[in-house]
C-alpha cells in the first residue's frame, strides 16, 4: 500500500466515534469556510443583539469595565479575528476556536439583550440558544476535535442556526 497523497483526506477515529478528516489543503479550505460561516453568523447575531440592547459599537474598550463595554469588545475582537482568517495559514483548530469565540461573544451579548427584554419565554429561549451555540462551538474547537470532527461541526452549525432563529423570534435581530 502506498502512502496517501496530500490531496487525499486522511480518515481517523474521533473522540465521538465519527470519522474525522485530517486537513489536506482542500479539506482545510472547506473546514475554514464552515468555521468562518458559523463565526460570521455569530458575530452578525451579536452585533444585531447589541443594537437591540442599546450597546453602541464605540462602547468597546481595551479593558472593559462594564457589561456593555465587555459585550462590544467581544464582538469587535471576534469580527477582527474573522476578518484576518483569509490571511492566515489553514488551521482547522484555530479556525474553530475563532468561531467558538464569536459564539461566546454572542452569548455575552445575549445576556444583555435578555436583560433589556425583561422576563419572557422568547427572551429566555434566545438566551439559552446562545449558550447552547457557544457550548457546541466549544466542543467543535476542543483539543480532542481540533475543528475537524464532522459530527461536532454539524452540531455547532445547527446550534448556531437555532440561536439565530431564537434571537429572531425574540425580536433581537
Amino acid at each position: 500500500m502506498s502512502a496517501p497523497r496530500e490531496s487525499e483526506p486522511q480518515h481517523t477515529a474521533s473522540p465521538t466515534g465519527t470519522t474525522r478528516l485530517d486537513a489536506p489543503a482542500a479539506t482545510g479550505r472547506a473546514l475554514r469556510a464552515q468555521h468562518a460561516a458559523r463565526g460570521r453568523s455569530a458575530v452578525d447575531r451579536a452585533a444585531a443583539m447589541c443594537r437591540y440592547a442599546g450597546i453602541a459599537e464605540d462602547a468597546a474598550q481595551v479593558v472593559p469595565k462594564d457589561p456593555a463595554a465587555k459585550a462590544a469588545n467581544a464582538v469587535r475582537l471576534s469580527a477582527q479575528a474573522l476578518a484576518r482568517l483569509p490571511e492566515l495559514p489553514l488551521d482547522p483548530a484555530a479556525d474553530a476556536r475563532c468561531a467558538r469565540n464569536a459564539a461566546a461573544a454572542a452569548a455575552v451579548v445575549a445576556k444583555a439583550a435578555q436583560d433589556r427584554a425583561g422576563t419572557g419565554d422568547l427572551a429566555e429561549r434566545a438566551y439559552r440558544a446562545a449558550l447552547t451555540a457557544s457550548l457546541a462551538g466549544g466542543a467543535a474547537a476542543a483539543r480532542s476535535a481540533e475543528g475537524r470532527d464532522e459530527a461536532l461541526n454539524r452540531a455547532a452549525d445547527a446550534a448556531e442556526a437555532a440561536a439565530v432563529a431564537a434571537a429572531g423570534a425574540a425580536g433581537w435581530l
Side-chain angles (χ1 to χ4, degrees):
M1 180 177 223
S2 65
R5 288 175 277 170
E6 184 177 316
S7 62
E8 296 174 340
Q10 303 302 302
H11 298 278
T12 58
S14 76
T16 60
T18 59
T19 300
R20 188 176 85 185
L21 295 176
D22 289 331
T27 303
R29 285 190 297 275
L31 287 169
R32 171 161 288 168
Q34 182 178 19
H35 296 310
R38 187 169 62 250
R40 279 191 301 275
S41 175
V43 165
D44 291 346
R45 179 168 50 89
M49 290 186 298
C50 276
R51 289 188 294 276
Y52 173 84
I55 300 171
E57 285 183 37
D58 62 359
Q61 301 169 354
V62 175
V63 181
K65 293 181 176 32
D66 61 65
K70 183 177 181 180
N73 195 51
V75 174
R76 179 182 61 82
L77 291 174
S78 293
Q80 287 175 346
L82 284 165
R84 290 211 50 228
L85 275 185
E87 304 165 13
L88 302 173
L90 292 175
D91 183 349
D95 298 346
R97 287 190 302 270
C98 189
R100 174 208 57 206
N101 292 347
V108 168
V109 179
K111 181 60 179 153
Q114 182 188 33
D115 290 346
R116 181 172 188 279
T119 59
D121 191 43
L122 292 177
E124 178 66 22
R125 284 185 199 172
Y127 176 64
R128 295 283 171 208
L131 290 178
T132 299
S134 180
L135 292 171
R143 179 175 291 206
S144 58
E146 297 178 333
R148 293 178 175 95
D149 189 293
E150 295 173 19
L152 292 175
N153 288 334
R154 280 192 306 273
D157 291 347
E160 176 57 28
V164 168
W172 297 355
L173 302 182

